Amino acid sequence: MNLGVIFELQNVRKVYKMGTERVIALEDISLTFEEGKTYCLLGTSGSGKSTLLNLLAGLEKPTSGSIKFKGRPLEKLSEKQLTLYRQGYIGFVFQSYNLLPTLTALENVTLPLIFRKIGSFKRKKAAFKMLKAVGLGKRWRHKPHELSGGQQQRVSLARAFVNEPQVIFADEPTGNLDTKTTFEMMDLITGMARERGQTLIIVTHDTEISDYADQIIQMRDGLIESIKENERKISHENEEINGNNPGDSADSGVDATDAGGE
Ligand code: ADP
């Protein structure tokens, strides 16, 4: 299969100034990411993984070098254009879920659609469909504190995918989850990205997580130590992903009209 290039990095360097000191977060990174593949940025704390993710997401600019998204250099975009780039093309999953505590699961999932000015009914319908896809259809009214950690992370997955972004960034997505929930979460996120043909870039220090990726990019001290195609990739092709996940098998028949009732 001939996959298109989604990100192309050339000699990317990121240096932070801390008073008189300079911290070299990324030394000299040249890399290509292809559409529809799952990548893992693997490395110990301080190796530069999150910095690289922030640059790809246009949250920070490189000190030098170029980052192209589908041929367009991100470093040349204005802040407004970068915001539109993130809203239109990127979904985020964080270690700490980053859900708004006063909103229900459904309302949290609708947030990226509000920013894109999609109407209320359509928003709720899309959010409800996505909550069902992550196995939480019957929990749409729950607030984050009424959900387990694994369920909160599923809500955040639904929020990341609801926009149908081309790229999903997941920064230590299972860092706060127990082992069993971690594997369920990894099956779910990699399965959803694969089904939708999305590029998934996961940041982790955990080799059990990196085994889910097509390609493992090992980082050390702001440099790429190695890039490996993952022959042993964990793949759970036979598991049903949509709407019937472990721990939520008795999903209710609540529909989007009900969810969007008020
Ligand atoms: P990782 O995600 O692999 O733990 P980071 O990308 O967070 O690594 O950090 C790489 C290096 O850059 C570290 O030495 C870190 O202290 C430094 N760093 C990251 N962000 C900043 C910042 N905003 N200001 C100063 N130094 C930073």
Side-chain angles (χ1 to χ4, degrees):
M1 195 169 29
N2 192 11
L3 297 169
V5 170
I6 194 148
F7 287 112
E8 192 181 355
L9 290 82
Q10 277 172 339
N11 304 108
V12 170
R13 194 173 157 80
K14 180 70 183 174
V15 182
Y16 292 105
K17 289 206 179 80
M18 300 285 290
T20 53
E21 237 183 274
R22 288 161 74 243
V23 179
I24 302 173
L26 296 175
E27 277 269 358
D28 180 12
I29 305 282
S30 295
L31 260 182
T32 302
F33 293 89
E34 289 174 348
E35 282 177 333
K37 280 176 80 168
T38 295
Y39 293 88
C40 181
L41 303 176
L42 179 68
T44 53
S45 177
S47 57
K49 309 180 297 291
S50 302
T51 301
L52 184 51
L53 208 66
N54 287 342
L55 294 181
L56 291 171
L59 291 165
E60 295 188 61
K61 298 212 180 218
T63 307
S64 59
S66 163
I67 301 176
K68 289 191 181 129
F69 172 74
K70 300 186 123 188
R72 281 160 288 180
L74 291 181
E75 62 278 4
K76 300 221 168 107
L77 301 186
S78 66
E79 285 307 317
K80 172 115 204 291
Q81 287 170 320
L82 285 171
T83 303
L84 291 174
Y85 156 68
R86 282 190 292 275
Q87 286 172 359
Y89 298 101
I90 310 291
F92 291 96
V93 181
F94 305 94
Q95 176 171 358
S96 49
Y97 325 132
N98 288 17
L99 299 174
L100 292 184
T102 58
L103 301 186
T104 64
L106 188 84
E107 289 163 343
N108 267 288
V109 178
T110 60
L111 283 178
L113 303 172
I114 293 178
F115 294 130
R116 291 187 74 187
K117 301 195 170 59
I118 292 172
S120 166
F121 182 76
K122 263 190 156 173
R123 250 180 3 235
K124 286 175 179 163
K125 199 170 163 188
F128 187 74
K129 192 173 158 205
M130 203 44 80
L131 276 178
K132 277 192 93 172
V134 299
L136 285 180
K138 68 180 178 181
R139 302 234 158 72
W140 62 271
R141 276 182 216 268
H142 289 233
K143 301 253 171 81
H145 75 272
E146 297 161 343
L147 297 167
S148 70
Q151 287 170 336
Q152 289 183 57
Q153 194 57 304
R154 281 167 192 249
V155 175
S156 97
L157 276 198
R159 182 187 55 191
F161 281 89
V162 75
N163 249 347
E164 299 176 5
Q166 294 188 11
V167 186
I168 304 275
F169 292 127
D171 196 350
E172 301 277 6
T174 59
N176 288 336
L177 303 177
D178 62 51
T179 308
K180 178 170 172 281
T181 315
T182 288
F183 295 136
E184 286 172 6
M185 190 57 60
M186 289 311 299
D187 284 333
L188 187 58
I189 188 168
T190 53
M192 284 175 69
R194 186 177 56 235
E195 270 183 9
R196 291 162 174 78
Q198 290 153 320
T199 308
L200 173 62
I201 303 180
I202 303 164
V203 158
T204 187
H205 62 276
D206 183 343
T207 51
E208 283 195 312
I209 302 298
S210 64
D211 261 348
Y212 283 83
D214 296 309
Q215 196 178 90
I216 302 168
I217 300 162
Q218 175 90 48
M219 297 186 65
R220 183 191 289 267
D221 299 334
L223 284 165
I224 292 168
E225 191 173 59
S226 65
I227 299 179
K228 277 190 224 138
E229 294 300 325
N230 186 15
E231 307 298 341
R232 297 186 302 124
K233 188 180 140 188
I234 298 175
S235 170
H236 297 248
E237 304 282 350
N238 296 327
E239 281 187 22
E240 196 169 340
I241 289 153
N242 276 320
N244 191 14
N245 290 294
D248 202 36
S249 53
D251 213 349
S252 80
V254 184
D255 67 18
T257 321
D258 182 9
E262 67 268 16

